[in-house]
Amino acid sequence: MFLILDEEASSVRPSDSSGNPIEDPGVINGFPLMAAHLLTQWRRQGHPPQEIRKFFA
């Protein structure tokens, strides 16, 4: 899975391998959980995460 971390909007969105946003993230298994984890890290650290610390299967 590829992600876009939008610093201006403070959001995480799924993308394809070329960096194009995927319109319906609901079709991606595990995306809501991963996005919530990354946003929590982002808010806690005050900047976008440099690495993902959990493995989502």
Side-chain angles (χ1 to χ4, degrees), residues 14 21-28:
I22 295 174
E23 295 302 318
D24 185 8
V27 300
I28 301 171

Side-chain angles (χ1 to χ4, degrees), residues 32-54:
L33 177 61
M34 184 183 335
H37 172 72
L38 291 174
L39 287 171
T40 299
Q41 254 188 290
W42 192 333
R43 289 183 188 116
R44 191 176 304 144
Q45 296 173 356
H47 56 82
Q50 300 299 309
E51 63 184 24
I52 296 174
R53 297 180 183 191
K54 288 188 178 183

